Each structure stands twice: as C-alpha cells, then as structure tokens.
Amino acid sequence: MTGTALQTADAVDTWREVIALLAEAADRGYEEAITNPAAHSTALAADGLASAAIALLPEDLDHELNEVALDAVVAHLNSAGLIRHAEQVTRRHPIEQLPAGASQVIVELLDLVREISP
Amino acid sequence: MTQPQEPVDARSVGELLLDADLTSRASLWDVSPEHAKARVRSWGEVVEAAADLWASIPDASNNPSMRRIAELTQGLHRTHMRSGWPGAGPGDPHLESIAASLSRAAELVGARRHPTAVLSLPGQRDAEAARTRLMHVLYVSAHSVGVALGHHTRDLQRRLDTRQSIPTGDSLKHARDTKERVAAVERLAGAFLHPRWPAALTGEHRDRANLQRLEQALARWDLQAHRSLAAPPTTANLTWTARVQQDIVVAAAVVASAAARLGHLPAESVERARSALAQLDHAWAALATDLTALQGRQRRLDPELLLAGREVQAALRDITHQHAGLAAPREIAARVDLAAAAGHLHQSLTAAVDLAHVTRDALCDPELTVAARGAHAMAISSAAAQGMAAWVDAGSLHHNHQVPLPQPVRQALTDRADQLVQAALTADSVSAGLQRFPTEAPKSPPSPGRRHEDLATSTVTLNQASRWGCER
C-alpha cells in the first residue's frame, strides 16, 4: 500500500543526526548569545527540542550521540541555519519510520523555524 | 481535433501520503491571521478525506481515534452552519491540496481492497504505516489551523483592547471556540501517534494572559528545578537548569530595560541592576559551558524539568521576542505590564539565590558522573600547573563512559558555583528596585523560632559533607 516499513535503522540514524544538529544549534546559539542576547532564547528552544528528541530513543544508546558525525555543509551554518537544516533532515523518512513521538518534535521544530524566520 | 485528456494522477498511495505530509508542514510556514478563516473552511474537507481513507484501510484493531475526530469535526461543521461563521469564502490552498491527495489515496485503496479483507503480516504493517502517516498529516494540519486561529484571535483581541471595531464577519467568540475544538482533534491525533509523550506540551496554554503564564511558568520551574536537583544529580539536568536560569536573567534585563525606557520603572534602579544582571548571566553561562563540555550531546533530562524549562522559555519568548530578535520596548509593553513582569522576574532572581546553592551542592555530590573524555580534557587543563596525571582510566576514555568527577574538575566546577552564588546574591540585592509592588510584612503570627536541635547540624549531614570533598 505505502511501500514502507515501520521504524528502520536508517531512520533512527537520521533521528540521531537531527538530535546532533539541534544540540549543535543550541551550543552555537549560546556562543552567539554572548554578543547577541536575543539568540539565547532560540538556543534554549533548540536545546529543549534536542532533549525532547533524545527522550524518544532508548537510554542505553545515549553515548552514541557523541559519535554522530555531522555533514561538512553544516560547519559554517549559524544556530538558525542548523535548526532549519535539522527540519530538512526530518523529511528524509516518512513519519512512521521515525521513533514514536517524532510528530510532536517535528511540529515544534516547524514552529521554531517559523518563529526565527525574518 | 481531439479533446485534451484530463491528466491522470499516477502517484501511489505512499507518494500521495508523503505529499500530504509535506504540504501539511508547508502550511505551518504560512499562519498569518488572514489565513485563519480560509483554513477553517477547508479543515472539514481534510478530515472527511482522511476518514474516508482510514475507513478503506483494513484495521483489525478497530481503533476509534479517527471516528472520534470525524464526529468532532462534523459537530464543528454543524456549529458553523448554524452560526454563519466563518461564512462563504475561499478555502486554504494547502489544506485543499491535502484533502485532494487523501481523497485520491482513498480511491486507490478502495478500488483495490475490501476494508474487512484479512491481511498478511507485511500487509498489516503496511496498513499500520499508512494509518500512522495519515494521522500525522491530520495532527500537523490541525496544528496549522490552531496556530492560524491563535494569531487571528490575538489580532481581534488587540483590536478590542484598543477600542477598534472588529471587521464585519469576524467573531472572536467563534474563532476561539473553533480553536479549542480543533485543538481537541490535535490532542486526539497526538494521543494516537505518541502515547508516551506528555499531553501537557500541546499548546492550549498559549492563550493565557502573558503575565499569568509567566508567573505560573516561573513558579513551576523554581519548584521543579529544586525537586530535580534534590534527586541524584545528572550533568544534563544541571546544565539545563543553568541555561534556563540564564534565560530568565537575560529576559529580566530586557524587560527592565524596556520598562526604564518607557518610564514604567525608575531608570536609575534599572541602571544599578544592569551590571549585576550581566555578571549573573555570565556566571550561569560559564557553569553551563563547562558542564556542556563534560556531557557533549547527552542531554537526557528529567521529563518534568524539561517541560517546566520549555514553558519558561516559551513564556519569556512570547514577551521579549519578535521573530529571531528582541521586540521593541513599545511592542513588549503592548504584550505585558512591564513593571509587573519585571517584578515577577525579580522574584525569580530571589529564588535563584537558593537554586545557586542547590546547584553547588549537586556539583559536590559524589554520585555525579560526567563523560570521560570531557572530564579528561578539563582535568588536564585545570591541573596543568600540577603536571600531567591520569585522571581518567584509558578504558573509560576510549569508550567515553560516564565517570565520577576527577578532583580537579570538581574543584573547577565548585569554583564556578561559588562565583555563581556570589553573583546571584548581588543580583538579588541590587535588583530590588525592579520590584514595583509595595512589600508588606505578611500578617501571620510571629514565628516561635526553630527548636535548638533543628538548628544544629546533624552528625549524618557532617559525615556526608566530609565525604563530598568540596570544602577547602
């Protein structure tokens, strides 16, 4: 019917990449906040989303998050760019392949992308 | 001459559902107030098409979620017919496209399968995948209708507050009622998709008055931060606490500055507080940065602490931000009573003095562990003057296991915490001028005082403290 399977290893890897991007967005945002206080709120929102996304994965795999290598194209992105990129990455898989609860994180991520758009 | 044929939509069911998903996401980009009524007009079509598709997919579990959603939406449609709101007019292109994709998918599935047909195991999985994707489309679409209605109702409320007339054909009451009823659909879809996720996150709180929301969010945060840090501490909980506290300090400075600019608070009081708030901001940031180096991306939080912190962030952002930047002082003043907000934030700064102490205590807890590589790097850098020492064993370092804090790392963190406590005390004392409210003594009977044995430090506490190794 849909030609898809429920949760795949690839999709879980994608979810880890989303977490890594959001964590990176948070950390870069906190750095940006040193000179631009407005950036702190966005960084904190990204940080909270990273934690919400982590909560959907089994706890015993947390240590693997530090091993996720990010694409070279994100190296020069600022915090807002990383947040947008994280949303794009969520589109790689249909929702049923992502961890249960991903819908809410995605909707909140879309809300954040809209909020930080000029 | 032959008549040009209608193009045939050759997409598969999977592709149609994927297209509906992407379109529902796109609908979240465009949520200005003027989209609201068009979106409400098209919402019923989306649900009707979704219900048709759902009914055509075999479902052995007979899950009632879609039936409930369809009934709620039919009820809403009847109300709209009776009230004449939102009335005739154009529909929303995003939602109409979603409805068309879902209708086409329903036709394809209906032509191929009987809804009561017995499915093979792969067929059952496929059907479950289709239902999940379909419910996700409804969930995102309902959210987009709700967000557009939220903007619309705020727009109308602002008009009423400034004694402007509401445009003909608009109704604050009907818009609010509809928003609540669509939010119920969003919750039902959400419950189907992620029963493990706390429903409290779903957004109806956003309509509360900004000040009340802020007050409640700060009170809940203060309580929850104390609770979470009283449990065996984790680096992630400590880091999140520091970052949320920093956000409160940043917002306090923004609100106080706006209040001073517009004459809601004495400029000299705000000026006195400015430097102390900056010091406190730096102190929380320095601690959080060190802790982040020790945890990397491992940010698994106490779920209640995460929720409370996110609510504080959202409540503050609603007041202080316009898109990615800070709102202008007049815009902030239009959203909230500046002096009252500054007062609530100052109360939170007062509570933060104790939270700084609790943070310091948690950093001294022998059960606190950190990632080995971060600990190694910080220990080497902290202990550089004392020469190189193996603070973390090679095996833990290789696998980046969680390890207890090496002494130089604990020392560096408690030094940070000492600076934090000092900065919190100064900020609390200097920021007293941000409190507009008269401070009356509480009319409670005088305290009889604590019994002597309550005041004395217990032997257990002393023994525990000596184990923790934070004292110098």
Side-chain angles (χ1 to χ4, degrees):
Chain A
M1 191 184 299
T2 57
T4 56
L6 293 171
Q7 259 196 52
T8 63
D10 273 2
V12 173
D13 283 346
T14 293
W15 197 245
R16 285 204 190 93
E17 188 180 340
V18 171
I19 292 167
L21 285 165
L22 289 171
E24 193 64 27
D27 293 347
R28 283 189 207 172
Y30 292 133
E31 282 171 25
E32 290 165 21
I34 295 170
T35 51
N36 172 23
H40 194 274
S41 177
T42 304
L44 189 63
D47 209 350
L49 273 176
S51 292
I54 288 171
L56 306 182
L57 293 177
E59 195 167 351
D60 55 347
L61 299 178
D62 278 3
H63 63 279
E64 291 181 6
L65 289 170
N66 283 327
E67 312 303 328
V68 176
L70 290 177
D71 210 332
V73 296
V74 306
H76 301 294
L77 293 180
N78 63 8
S79 176
L82 284 161
I83 291 168
R84 286 189 200 101
H85 191 71
E87 194 279 315
Q88 290 292 325
V89 169
T90 64
R91 299 178 180 214
R92 277 191 208 145
H93 298 272
I95 191 70
E96 70 274 9
Q97 291 181 2
L98 297 171
S103 279
Q104 182 144 6
V105 174
I106 290 171
V107 162
E108 292 181 4
L109 181 52
L110 283 160
D111 282 343
L112 181 59
V113 170
R114 189 183 62 251
E115 278 175 28
I116 60 177
S117 297
Chain B
M1 201 167 151
T2 53
Q3 197 83 22
Q5 284 191 329
E6 273 289 296
V8 177
D9 189 343
R11 289 174 297 172
S12 67
V13 175
E15 285 167 340
L16 287 162
L17 279 170
L18 194 58
D19 187 64
D21 176 20
L22 295 179
T23 310
S24 67
R25 290 180 191 218
S27 72
L28 273 174
W29 297 86
D30 266 335
V31 287
S32 54
E34 57 269 25
H35 289 113
K37 288 203 288 182
R39 214 155 269 190
V40 171
R41 286 186 201 106
S42 302
W43 169 241
E45 282 176 54
V46 172
V47 175
E48 197 179 332
D52 283 349
L53 176 55
W54 187 277
S56 65
I57 301 169
D59 180 11
S61 69
N62 198 21
N63 187 292
S65 302
M66 185 61 79
R67 201 164 52 243
R68 286 181 185 148
I69 288 171
E71 281 165 7
L72 285 178
T73 309
Q74 281 158 14
L76 182 61
H77 178 65
R78 283 194 292 273
T79 304
H80 289 164
M81 294 299 286
R82 270 198 301 271
S83 65
W85 187 92
D92 178 81
H94 288 305
L95 295 196
E96 284 176 347
S97 162
I98 293 166
S101 293
L102 298 183
S103 295
R104 174 69 183 146
E107 278 172 30
L108 288 176
V109 178
R112 272 192 284 169
R113 290 186 185 281
H114 190 274
T116 56
V118 179
L119 290 176
S120 62
L121 190 58
Q124 283 174 28
R125 285 192 182 135
D126 198 35
E128 193 184 336
R131 279 194 298 273
T132 304
R133 211 184 283 184
L134 177 55
M135 197 59 92
H136 172 73
V137 169
L138 267 194
Y139 176 69
V140 179
S141 302
H143 188 72
S144 82
V145 177
V147 175
L149 280 169
H151 286 298
H152 182 59
T153 53
R154 273 195 288 276
D155 199 41
L156 294 180
Q157 185 65 59
R158 203 171 294 133
R159 281 170 173 272
L160 287 176
D161 290 347
T162 52
R163 302 190 175 191
Q164 294 176 54
S165 60
I166 284 185
T168 312
D170 279 340
S171 160
L172 183 57
K173 181 184 180 306
H174 287 306
R176 276 196 180 134
D177 289 349
T178 302
K179 182 174 178 294
E180 282 166 16
R181 292 168 80 172
V182 176
V185 171
E186 187 181 337
R187 283 196 294 275
L188 278 173
F192 175 88
L193 287 165
H194 32 79
R196 290 187 303 153
W197 193 250
L201 263 183
T202 314
E204 70 253 82
H205 55 241
R206 289 194 178 255
D207 267 357
R208 277 185 216 153
N210 284 332
L211 197 60
Q212 189 193 6
R213 181 184 181 193
L214 176 66
E215 185 181 10
Q216 290 177 357
L218 290 172
R220 179 184 174 193
W221 165 253
D222 184 41
L223 185 67
Q224 188 56 50
H226 277 85
R227 274 188 191 154
S228 296
L229 296 186
T234 68
T235 321
N237 283 347
L238 282 162
T239 313
W240 178 246
T241 302
R243 289 302 188 190
V244 174
Q245 284 301 131
Q246 194 190 348
D247 210 44
I248 293 169
V249 178
V250 170
V254 170
V255 169
S257 170
R261 180 84 67 87
L262 300 177
H264 294 246
L265 283 175
E268 59 277 16
S269 302
V270 174
E271 192 50 43
R272 265 199 305 277
R274 190 191 305 274
S275 158
L277 289 176
Q279 290 293 324
L280 184 55
D281 174 2
H282 292 158
W284 282 116
L287 179 62
T289 303
D290 281 354
L291 288 169
T292 301
L294 292 168
Q295 69 171 7
R297 295 175 188 149
Q298 295 180 37
R299 297 163 195 225
R300 185 175 294 276
L301 294 171
D302 173 352
E304 292 298 322
L305 187 71
L306 174 60
L307 279 177
R310 294 184 76 195
E311 177 60 8
V312 167
Q313 183 271 337
L316 292 174
R317 192 182 183 93
D318 260 2
I319 294 170
T320 56
H321 277 65
Q322 183 78 31
H323 301 299
L326 294 173
R330 287 201 183 281
E331 176 61 28
I332 298 176
R335 298 174 186 174
V336 76
D337 177 338
L338 283 171
H344 289 309
L345 288 163
H346 175 256
Q347 287 168 11
S348 185
L349 292 177
T350 302
V353 174
D354 191 57
L355 199 55
H357 280 286
V358 171
T359 299
R360 189 188 185 285
D361 291 347
L363 290 169
C364 294
D365 191 318
E367 289 184 38
L368 181 64
T369 59
V370 294
R373 287 179 201 154
H376 176 72
M378 191 182 284
I380 293 297
S381 127
S382 306
Q386 302 162 25
M388 300 290 279
W391 294 107
V392 180
D393 70 86
S396 298
L397 203 55
H398 178 69
H399 296 289
N400 201 22
H401 284 152
Q402 289 286 304
V403 295
L405 265 69
Q407 187 53 32
V409 173
R410 194 183 296 278
Q411 190 63 63
L413 292 177
T414 49
D415 283 350
R416 289 276 195 221
D418 286 340
Q419 291 160 13
L420 172 65
V421 169
Q422 199 52 53
L425 278 166
T426 308
D428 176 35
S429 128
V430 175
S431 308
L434 305 185
Q435 274 278 35
R436 181 187 57 178
F437 311 117
T439 48
E440 284 180 17
K443 289 174 183 168
S444 53
S447 165
R450 292 164 69 191
R451 290 161 51 121
H452 174 73
E453 51 268 46
D454 291 339
L455 292 167
T457 310
S458 76
T459 317
V460 174
T461 313
L462 275 175
N463 285 344
Q464 206 171 29
S466 61
R467 271 198 301 123
W468 289 11
C470 282
E471 286 71 28
R472 282 177 282 172

